[in-house]
C-alpha cells in the first residue's frame, strides 16, 4: 500500500508531527467531525489520501489488512493512523461495507492554496459530504448490478400497535410501504432482503421486536424515536414530493407514514442534505403478495442456495434477462409472487406474447443488449455523483426506448397488445428524443469517468469552449517552435522544453552542455532554476508568460465544461419522473422477454391460476434439477403428476425409500406455485390451481446454536408456524416430521400434525414420511390420499424409478441406501440381520433378546471365539523366511487341500 504518511506530509497543514499535549489544528478538526459522526469510520481527506486516526485507524487497518502507523501525539499518547489512496478508495469502501461498517466521507471543500491565503497555519476547510452505509449505496462498483439494494424502515405505533415497513433503493428510485405484523415481519423482510434496516432506538429495546429483526442478516441502525414522529414525517413527505396531501399516493396509516418519514430522513442524513431521486411512494397491500417465511425461502433456494451462492438457485435458471434492470425485475417478481389471479394473468399474457412471436422476442432482446442501466445512471445524476458516461447512458437509453416502442407496436395483433405490454409500450414511446439529441450533440465519443477530468464535450457544441481549447492546444505548436529556436541559439541539439507542476514550462539540458546556457551573452535569456541528476533546468520570460496563458486557457476550458455538464444534468433531472417510468417499462419488457426465452428453451407451459382450491399439475418437473441434468447431459428428468384438489383429496401422504425423490417432488410443486404466481410459465405439461396466499415448507433442518435450538427444536418451531398460520388457501410441504426424536414420539407428532392439517387448517399439503403406520389414516381421513415412490428390485439391487404412484411403500430400503453410501460391509451385514429379526418379532417382549444386543439398550456382546481351523493351524507352523520357492508352492497346494476338506 502507498504510504499514508506521505498523504499528510503533502498537505503541510497544522504541523501535525510534533509531540503535543493538545490537538493540532488539523487533529482538532478531525475530532470535531468524528464527534459529529459517531458509529462511523471517518475517511478524512488529506491530499491524495483518506486518513483514519485513533480507534478508526485500528479498526480499518485490521479489516483492510493495511499498515497501521503513528502520527503525532494527542494528550501525550501516540496517534494510531492508517490511510488509503483516494484513487483506490472505492475498493476499500466496498470491503468495509460488506463487513458491516459505516463510513463517513470527509472531503476538502477548498484548494490548499486558498487556505494558505488566510495564513501559514490555516487549515483547509473540510466537512462530511456523505455517510456510506450498506443501504445507501449508488456507485456501480459498490453494488451488485443485478440485485436491488434496499434500505428498510420498520415502525410500530405505540397507541395502536400497528406495524409498518417502508423500503427504498436510492440507486434506482424505488420507494414503497406496507402494513405488517409481528407474525409476518420476518417473512416480509426475507422477501425484501434489505441491506440495512433502520428503526427507532426505543423500539429496539423490546427483546421480542429485536428477535424478529435478528432473523434478518441485515445490520440494524438505531435512530432517535423523534425521527419517526408521524406528523413530522407527513410534512417531510409533502415537502419532498411537493404535494398538499398524501392521499393521491394512497390511504396511508400513521405507522406507514412514520416508516416512510423515518426512511426519507435517514436518506437525506446519509447524503449530507442531498435528496436522491425517489419515485412517489407506492402502497403495497399485504394481501396482494404470496407470503413465504424465511425458512421456506432458504429451503427452496429461490435466489441463492443454502451455501449462499446464486448458481444452483431457481433465479439462476430463470434469469435470462439481457439488462441488469431486467434481472432486478425478475428477482423482485420471484421474491414477491402475486396473489391476485387477474394480475398474474396480465403478466402471463406478456410472456405468452413473446413466446408466440419468436421474431419479436429476438428483436427486442437484441435492442435491449445495447440498453444501459437507465435507473442507476439517473440515480447517480440526481444525487450529484454522475459523470459523462451516465449522461451518455441516458442518451442511449432514450434512443433505444423509441426503437423498442416502434418494434413492439408493430407486433400488435387484431386484438391489440396485452394490457401490461401495451402500457409499457406507450411509456417507451414517450421517450424524450429532444433530450437525447441534445446529449448526443454535447457529448464526445471517448468519455472520462469523472466530469472533473474534462475532455467530454464535443467540438462545435460551445464556441467559447472551442476558443479556449484552441488557445490551449495551439500553444503546443508554439512550444515546439520555441524549442527549435532555443536549440539554434544555444547550439545544444539535445535541449528539451518540458513541463511539471512546480516549474511550469522549463528548458532542460544535460549537465555537460548546460554551460553554454550560462555564458555571459546568454545569461540574460536563460535563467537557472534547478539542478537535478545529470541535468540542469532553466526558464525564460517568454516561457513563463506562455505558461500563464496556457494555464488560464486550460482552466477556463475546464470551467466551461463543468458548466455544460451541470446544465445537462439539470435537464436530465428535470425529466427524472419520465425517465424513471421509461426505465421501469424497459425492465418489465426485458423480464417478460427473458421469461419467454426460458419457457421456450426449457419447454415450460402457461399455468392457469384462479380463485378455486384445486391443485392439478400434469408432468411436473423440478426446474433446477432438470436444468442441471440438461446442461450436464447426464439424463432426463422424470416428470410426475400432482392432484390435491380442494374438496377431493387435498392432502397427499407420500411414502417411499430414501433417494427415491420424495423431497424433490415436494419442492418442485412448491416451486411451480411460486413460478406461476410471479407470472412465469412453469415446468409441466399442464398446471391449474387456485391462488395460494401463503407457502410453507418443512423440508430439511439444521440446528440453530446461536439461539440454543437443536435440530429437532428448529423442526418443531417451523411446524408450529405452519399449524398456527396456514389457511385453506395455503400450500404446505412437509418432509419427515418427527424424525429427530424417539420413534414413538416422532410418530405421534407426525400423526397429530397430519390430523390437524386435515381437520383444522384444511389446506393443500404434501406430507412425506417414513412412518408407514400413517398410511392407515387414509381410511378415516376423507381428504387424505396415499402415494408412494415407485422402485424396482432386480438381482439384489434396488432401482429408483423416481415415479410417484398411488399406494403405499412396504419398505424404506434404508440399508440399501447405506450400502450405496459406503458403510463397511460388516455394518451392512449386521444391520440386515437386525432388521430381519425386528421385522419378524417387532419391538416387543418377544424381541427382548435382540434388544439386549442393541447399543441403545446395552453394549453389544463380544462375538464368541471361533474354533481354530486346520488351515490356521498349518499357517501358524510356517516360518516364511525358511521357505524356498518350491516349498512355498507345495504349501499352497496343502492349504488348498485343507480348505477344500473344510468346505466339504
Amino acid at each position: 500500500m502507498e504510504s499514508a504518511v506521505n498523504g499528510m506530509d503533502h498537505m503541510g497543514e497544522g504541523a501535525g508531527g510534533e509531540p503535543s499535549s493538545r490537538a493540532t489544528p488539523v487533529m482538532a478538526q478531525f475530532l470535531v467531525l468524528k464527534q459529529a459522526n459517531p458509529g462511523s469510520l471517518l475517511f478524512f481527506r488529506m491530499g491524495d489520501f483518506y486518513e483514519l486516526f485513533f480507534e478508526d485507524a485500528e479498526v480499518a487497518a485490521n479489516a483492510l489488512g493495511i499498515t497501521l502507523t503513528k502520527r503525532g501525539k494527542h494528550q501525550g499518547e501516540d496517534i494510531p493512523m492508517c490511510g488509503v489512496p483516494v484513487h483506490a478508495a472505492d475498493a476499500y469502501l466496498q470491503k468495509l461495507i460488506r463487513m458491516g461498517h459505516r463510513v463517513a466521507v470527509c472531503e476538502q471543500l477548498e484548494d490548499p492554496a486558498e487556505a494558505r491565503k488566510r495564513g501559514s497555519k490555516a487549515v483547509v476547510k473540510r466537512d462530511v459530504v456523505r455517510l456510506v452505509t450498506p443501504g445507501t449505496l449508488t456507485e456501480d462498483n459498490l453494488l451488485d448490478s443485478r440485485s436491488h439494494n434496499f434500505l428498510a424502515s420498520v415502525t410500530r405505533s405505540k397507541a395502536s400497535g400497528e406495524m409498518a415497513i417502508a423500503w427504498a433503493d436510492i440507486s434506482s428510485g424505488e420507494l414503497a410501504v406496507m402494513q405488517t405484523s409481528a407474525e409476518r415481519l420476518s417473512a416480509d423482510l426475507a422477501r425484501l432482503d434489505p441491506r440495512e434496516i433502520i428503526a427507532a432506538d426505543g423500539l429496539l429495546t423490546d427483546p421480542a421486536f429485536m428477535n424478529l429483526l435478528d432473523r434478518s442478516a441485515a445490520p440494524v441502525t438505531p435512530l432517535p424515536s423523534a425521527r419517526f414522529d408521524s406528523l413530522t414525517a407527513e410534512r417531510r413527505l409533502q415537502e419532498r414530493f411537493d404535494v398538499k396531501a398524501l392521499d393521491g399516493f394512497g390511504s396511508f396509516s400513521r405507522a406507514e407514514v412514520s416508516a416512510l418519514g423515518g426512511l426519507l430522513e435517514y436518506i437525506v442524513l446519509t447524503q449530507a442534505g442531498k435528496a436522491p431521486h425517489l419515485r412517489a411512494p407506492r402502497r403495497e397491500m399485504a394481501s396482494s403478495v404470496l407470503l413465504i417465511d424465511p425458512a421456506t425461502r432458504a429451503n427452496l433456494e429461490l435466489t441463492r442456495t443454502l451455501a449462499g451462492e446464486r448458481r444452483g438457485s431457481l433465479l439462476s435458471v430463470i434469469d435470462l434477462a439481457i439488462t441488469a434492470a431486467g434481472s432486478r425485475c425478475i428477482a423482485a417478481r420471484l421474491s414477491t409472487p402475486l396473489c391476485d389471479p387477474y394480475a398474474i394473468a396480465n403478466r402471463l399474457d406478456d410472456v405468452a406474447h413473446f413466446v408466440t412471436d419468436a421474431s419479436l422476442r429476438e428483436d427486442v432482446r437484441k435492442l435491449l443488449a445495447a440498453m444501459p442501466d437507465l435507473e442507476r445512471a439517473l440515480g447517480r445524476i440526481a444525487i450529484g455523483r454522475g459523470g459523462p458516461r451516465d449522461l451518455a447512458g441516458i442518451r442511449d437509453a432514450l434512443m433505444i426506448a423509441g426503437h423498442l416502442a416502434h418494434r413492439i407496436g408493430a407486433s400488435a395483433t387484431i386484438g391489440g397488445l396485452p394490457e401490461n405490454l401495451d402500457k409499457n409500450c406507450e411509456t417507451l414511446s414517450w421517450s424524450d428524443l429532444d433530450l437525447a439529441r441534445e446529449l448526443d450533440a454535447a457529448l464526445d465519443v471517448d468519455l472520462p469517468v469523472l466530469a472533473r477530468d474534462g475532455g467530454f464535450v464535443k467540438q462545435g457544441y460551445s464556441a467559447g469552449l472551442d476558443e479556449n481549447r484552441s488557445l490551449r492546444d495551439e500553444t503546443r505548436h508554439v512550444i515546439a517552435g520555441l524549442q527549435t529556436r532555443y536549440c539554434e541559439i544555444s547550439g545544444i541539439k539535445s535541449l528539451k522544453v518540458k513541463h511539471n507542476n512546480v516549474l511550469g514550462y522549463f528548458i532542460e539540458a544535460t549537465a555537460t552542455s548546460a554551460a553554454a546556457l550560462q555564458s555571459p551573452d546568454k545569461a540574460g535569456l536563460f535563467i537557472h532554476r534547478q539542478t537535478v541528476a545529470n541535468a540542469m533546468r532553466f526558464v525564460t520570460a517568454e516561457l513563463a508568460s506562455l505558461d500563464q496563458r496556457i494555464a488560464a486557457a486550460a482552466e477556463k476550458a475546464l470551467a466551461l465544461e463543468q458548466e455544460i455538464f451541470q446544465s445537462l444534468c439539470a435537464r436530465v433531472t428535470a425529466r427524472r419522473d419520465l425517465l424513471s417510468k421509461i426505465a421501469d417499462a424497459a425492465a418489465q419488457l426485458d423480464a417478460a422477454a427473458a421469461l419467454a426465452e426460458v419457457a421456450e428453451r426449457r419447454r415450460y407451459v402457461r399455468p392457469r391460476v384462479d380463485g378455486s382450491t384445486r391443485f392439478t399439475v400434469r408432468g411436473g418437473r423440478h426446474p433446477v434439477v432438470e436444468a442441471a441434468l440438461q446442461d450436464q447431459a447426464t439424463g432426463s428428468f422424470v416428470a410426475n403428476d400432482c392432484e390435491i384438489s380442494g374438496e377431493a383429496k387435498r392432502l397427499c401422504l407420500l411414502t417411499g425409500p430414501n433417494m427415491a425423490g420424495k423431497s424433490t417432488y415436494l419442492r418442485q410443486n412448491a416451486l411451480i406455485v411460486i413460478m406461476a404466481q410471479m407470472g412465469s410459465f412453469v415446468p409441466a405439461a399442464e398446471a391449474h390451481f387456485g391462488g395460494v396466499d401463503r407457502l410453507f415448507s418443512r423440508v430439511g433442518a439444521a440446528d440453530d446454536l446461536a439461539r440454543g435450538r437443536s435440530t429437532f427444536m428448529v423442526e418443531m418451531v417451523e411446524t408450529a408456524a405452519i399449524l398456527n398460520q396456514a389457511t385453506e388457501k395455503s400450500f404446505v410441504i412437509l418432509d419427515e416430521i418427527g424424525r429427530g426424536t424417539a420413534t414413538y414420539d416422532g410418530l405421534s407428532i407426525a400423526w397429530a400434525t397430519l390430523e390437524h392439517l386435515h381437520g383444522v387448517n384444511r389446506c393443500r399439503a404434501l406430507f412425506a414420511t417414513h412412518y408407514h403406520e400413517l398410511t392407515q389414516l387414509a381410511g378415516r381421513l376423507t381428504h387424505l390420499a396415499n402415494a408412494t415412490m415407485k422402485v424396482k428390485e432386480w438381482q439384489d439391487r434396488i432401482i429408483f424409478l423416481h415415479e410417484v404412484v398411488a399406494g403405499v411403500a412396504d419398505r424404506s430400503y434404508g440399508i440399501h441406501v447405506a450400502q450405496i453410501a459406503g458403510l463397511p460391509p460388516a455394518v451392512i451385514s449386521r444391520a440386515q440381520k437386525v432388521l430381519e429379526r425386528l421385522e419378524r418379532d417387532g419391538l416387543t417382549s418377544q424381541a427382548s433378546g435382540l434388544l439386549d444386543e442393541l447399543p441403545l439398550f446395552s453394549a453389544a456382546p463380544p462375538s464368541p471365539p471361533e474354533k481354530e481351523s486346520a488351515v490356521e493351524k498349518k499357517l501358524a507352523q510356517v516360518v516364511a523366511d525358511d521357505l524356498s520357492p518350491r516349498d512355498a508352492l507345495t504349501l499352497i497346494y496343502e492349504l488348498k487341500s485343507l480348505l477344500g476338506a473344510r468346505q466339504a
Side-chain angles (χ1 to χ4, degrees):
M1 196 201 82
E2 300 174 53
S3 171
V5 179
N6 291 339
M8 181 170 282
D9 290 343
H10 170 74
M11 288 301 302
E13 294 180 60
E18 75 281 359
S20 172
S21 60
R22 62 184 180 83
T24 64
V26 174
M27 195 52 59
Q29 185 185 50
F30 171 87
L31 292 171
V32 169
L33 292 171
K34 176 62 182 175
Q35 187 176 13
N37 295 276
S40 299
L41 302 176
L42 183 59
F43 268 36
F44 191 74
R45 179 72 178 267
M46 301 192 75
D48 295 332
F49 284 79
Y50 287 116
E51 309 286 7
L52 297 96
F53 301 99
F54 300 103
E55 185 180 353
D56 285 2
E58 295 172 345
V59 172
N62 182 60
L64 300 174
I66 58 179
T67 302
L68 180 68
T69 184
K70 300 173 183 177
R71 182 67 178 184
K73 290 184 178 292
H74 179 64
Q75 296 181 349
E77 297 290 334
D78 290 328
I79 300 174
M81 184 192 80
C82 69
V84 300
V86 170
H87 67 81
D90 282 350
Y92 292 106
L93 275 176
Q94 183 180 47
K95 189 171 183 180
L96 288 171
I97 294 302
R98 286 181 176 175
M99 295 176 72
H101 297 290
R102 294 156 47 92
V103 179
V105 180
C106 172
E107 292 287 0
Q108 295 173 182
L109 304 183
E110 64 178 350
D111 190 273
E114 291 296 318
R116 284 193 288 270
K117 292 178 182 179
R118 299 194 301 270
S120 61
K121 292 190 177 183
V123 178
V124 174
K125 291 180 181 177
R126 294 181 178 86
D127 204 353
V128 172
V129 299
R130 180 187 176 198
L131 289 176
V132 184
T133 73
T136 58
L137 303 175
T138 57
E139 292 83 355
D140 266 348
N141 53 353
L142 300 181
L143 292 167
D144 179 354
S145 63
R146 293 184 172 266
S147 299
H148 278 293
N149 195 76
F150 285 129
L151 168 70
S153 167
V154 183
T155 59
R156 184 177 66 192
S157 169
K158 287 185 178 180
S160 63
E162 289 182 343
M163 297 180 69
I165 178 171
W167 61 95
D169 183 349
I170 69 170
S171 69
S172 64
E174 183 170 349
L175 177 63
V177 67
M178 69 176 292
Q179 284 190 313
T180 186
S181 62
E183 291 73 25
R184 63 173 292 149
L185 178 60
S186 294
D188 287 329
L189 288 174
R191 75 177 175 89
L192 292 173
D193 191 20
R195 298 298 182 265
E196 183 179 5
I197 301 171
I198 61 171
D201 49 10
L203 196 56
L204 297 181
T205 60
D206 181 351
F209 183 77
M210 277 303 299
N211 185 51
L212 295 175
L213 296 187
D214 284 345
R215 297 176 188 176
S216 171
V220 179
T221 302
L223 293 179
S225 298
R227 296 189 187 276
F228 294 91
D229 177 71
S230 61
L231 294 177
T232 304
E234 185 173 12
R235 289 194 297 271
R236 190 180 299 131
L237 289 164
Q238 290 170 350
E239 292 173 3
R240 174 66 180 81
F241 295 103
D242 195 22
V243 294
K244 297 295 183 183
L246 301 177
D247 297 343
F249 302 135
S251 180
F252 299 113
S253 67
R254 302 312 300 178
E256 289 173 320
V257 171
S258 172
L260 281 169
L263 187 70
L264 186 60
E265 172 76 2
Y266 183 70
I267 290 172
V268 174
L269 174 69
T270 57
Q271 306 311 305
K274 295 178 182 178
H277 165 64
L278 292 173
R279 300 173 196 158
R282 171 177 57 85
R283 186 172 190 266
E284 192 172 278
M285 298 296 295
S287 59
S288 67
V289 299
L290 170 61
L291 195 64
I292 309 173
D293 63 87
T296 299
R297 285 182 185 276
N299 289 328
L300 294 180
E301 300 181 306
L302 299 183
T303 58
R304 63 177 70 95
T305 65
L306 292 173
E309 298 178 356
R310 189 178 190 273
R311 184 178 181 182
S313 67
L314 176 59
L315 180 61
S316 70
V317 173
I318 65 172
D319 180 14
L320 296 183
I322 298 295
T323 68
S327 287
R328 294 197 295 270
C329 183
I330 291 175
R333 290 185 179 186
L334 177 58
S335 296
T336 313
L338 304 176
C339 283
D340 179 20
Y342 179 78
I344 294 169
N346 278 345
R347 286 185 179 178
L348 291 171
D349 287 343
D350 291 353
V351 178
H353 188 79
F354 282 113
V355 169
T356 304
D357 194 337
S359 64
L360 172 67
R361 183 173 76 247
E362 183 179 355
D363 291 346
V364 165
R365 286 169 66 83
K366 283 182 179 178
L367 286 169
L368 287 168
M371 186 82 167
D373 198 336
L374 177 56
E375 280 184 333
R376 289 191 167 170
L378 178 61
R380 288 188 292 272
I381 290 290
I383 208 168
R385 295 197 194 104
R389 293 183 185 179
D390 289 317
L391 290 177
I394 291 170
R395 173 201 62 197
D396 296 343
L398 289 173
M399 294 290 192
I400 294 170
H403 294 312
L404 285 169
H406 176 75
R407 179 63 183 88
I408 295 169
S411 73
T413 60
I414 296 176
L417 293 169
E419 183 178 335
N420 284 352
L421 193 58
D422 188 48
K423 289 180 180 178
N424 289 328
C425 183
E426 182 181 5
T427 300
L428 292 170
S429 69
W430 295 341
S431 181
D432 191 338
L433 295 181
D434 288 339
L435 176 58
R437 282 189 283 266
E438 176 74 10
L439 292 171
D440 189 53
L443 298 173
D444 211 341
V445 178
D446 295 323
L447 300 173
V449 176
L450 303 173
R452 66 169 181 253
D453 294 334
F456 56 86
V457 177
K458 190 180 295 183
Q459 186 174 359
Y461 180 76
S462 168
L465 176 59
D466 290 345
E467 181 181 346
N468 281 277
R469 280 178 171 174
S470 296
L471 180 60
R472 179 196 66 191
D473 297 338
E474 286 174 5
T475 52
R476 295 171 184 169
H477 300 294
V478 176
I479 292 294
L482 284 175
Q483 178 173 302
T484 301
R485 185 158 65 87
Y486 292 152
C487 286
E488 293 173 354
I489 293 173
S490 65
I492 305 172
K493 292 183 179 180
S494 61
L495 179 146
K496 300 291 183 184
V497 175
K498 297 184 177 181
H499 182 275
N500 65 28
N501 292 329
V502 177
L503 299 180
Y505 284 99
F506 60 88
I507 299 163
E508 185 172 279
T510 62
T512 56
S513 59
L517 301 180
Q518 296 176 304
S519 62
D521 60 325
K522 298 182 181 66
L525 175 61
F526 300 106
I527 305 168
H528 178 251
R529 289 294 306 273
Q530 193 177 44
T531 299
V532 295
N534 301 321
M536 296 182 70
R537 292 171 176 174
F538 301 82
V539 298
T540 67
E542 194 174 15
L543 278 177
S545 175
L546 186 62
D547 190 35
Q548 292 175 0
R549 294 201 307 272
I550 293 174
E555 186 176 338
K556 180 62 175 175
L558 186 59
L560 286 172
E561 281 202 272
Q562 302 308 305
E563 290 179 12
I564 293 171
F565 178 75
Q566 294 302 327
S567 174
L568 294 173
C569 287
R571 286 204 58 183
V572 168
T573 303
R575 303 289 285 163
R576 61 186 179 186
D577 290 337
L578 171 62
L579 294 174
S580 182
K581 291 177 181 177
I582 291 173
D584 185 53
Q588 291 190 47
L589 194 67
D590 190 12
L595 292 174
E597 183 71 17
V598 74
E600 188 69 18
R601 291 187 191 180
R602 303 289 188 188
R603 299 180 298 107
Y604 293 175
V605 300
R606 176 171 181 160
R608 180 181 171 190
V609 183
D610 54 28
S612 68
T613 57
R614 70 175 297 169
F615 190 93
T616 302
V617 173
R618 306 291 182 207
R621 313 185 300 275
H622 192 296
V624 181
V625 176
E626 181 187 43
L629 292 174
Q630 290 176 350
D631 294 343
Q632 298 168 9
T634 54
S636 59
F637 189 90
V638 179
N640 280 297
D641 299 343
C642 183
E643 178 75 53
I644 43 173
S645 295
E647 291 306 313
K649 300 292 185 180
R650 60 174 177 263
L651 265 73
C652 174
L653 182 63
L654 183 63
T655 54
N658 300 102
M659 295 287 292
K662 297 193 300 299
S663 296
T664 300
Y665 179 73
L666 265 58
R667 287 180 169 92
Q668 76 184 37
N669 285 288
L671 292 178
I672 286 173
V673 169
I674 293 172
M675 292 177 67
Q677 295 193 201
M678 71 171 278
S680 167
F681 281 26
V682 299
E686 177 191 350
H688 178 193
F689 58 87
V692 174
D693 64 348
R694 302 188 70 154
L695 180 67
F696 296 95
S697 76
R698 173 48 304 280
V699 287
D703 54 26
D704 187 353
L705 299 180
R707 293 189 177 91
R709 294 175 177 175
S710 65
T711 301
F712 180 68
M713 183 61 177
V714 170
E715 177 184 316
M716 290 299 99
V717 168
E718 293 176 2
T719 305
I722 294 171
L723 299 181
N724 290 324
Q725 299 175 28
T727 70
E728 290 186 9
K729 286 188 171 294
S730 298
F731 188 83
V732 177
I733 59 173
L734 301 104
D735 192 9
E736 299 185 38
I737 293 296
R739 62 182 174 179
T741 187
T743 302
Y744 287 152
D745 285 355
L747 174 60
S748 302
I749 292 170
W751 189 301
T753 297
L754 195 59
E755 289 180 334
H756 195 280
L757 288 170
H758 181 276
V760 179
N761 301 109
R762 303 176 62 83
C763 58
R764 292 159 289 182
L766 298 173
F767 194 114
T769 186
H770 283 291
Y771 294 130
H772 298 159
E773 295 85 349
L774 295 178
T775 59
Q776 300 172 19
L777 289 174
R780 64 185 188 85
L781 298 182
T782 309
H783 304 292
L784 176 65
N786 286 323
T788 185
M789 304 302 299
K790 193 174 181 182
V791 298
K792 181 179 181 180
E793 296 188 36
W794 183 71
Q795 294 185 355
D796 296 327
R797 292 177 55 201
I798 304 299
I799 300 174
F800 299 121
L801 302 179
H802 304 297
E803 294 179 20
V804 178
V805 295
V808 298
D810 57 350
R811 299 174 62 187
S812 287
Y813 300 100
I815 293 177
H816 174 74
V817 174
Q819 187 175 17
I820 295 175
L823 265 67
V827 174
I828 297 298
S829 175
R830 173 61 174 164
Q832 190 64 50
K833 292 178 181 178
V834 172
L835 176 63
E836 291 172 359
R837 188 164 179 180
L838 287 174
E839 287 179 338
R840 184 181 70 245
D841 300 334
L843 287 176
T844 63
S845 58
Q846 297 176 0
S848 59
L850 175 62
L851 292 180
D852 290 338
E853 298 180 20
L854 292 178
L856 278 174
F857 304 94
S858 64
S863 300
E866 295 184 6
K867 184 179 179 181
E868 189 177 32
S869 67
V871 172
E872 290 171 322
K873 287 181 179 178
K874 182 64 177 178
L875 284 172
Q877 298 169 2
V878 172
V879 179
D881 293 337
D882 295 341
L883 294 177
S884 67
R886 181 180 292 276
D887 293 338
L889 182 61
T890 302
L891 176 63
I892 291 174
Y893 282 116
E894 290 182 15
L895 292 175
K896 285 182 65 67
S897 175
L898 292 172
L899 185 61
R902 179 184 179 186
Q903 290 175 342

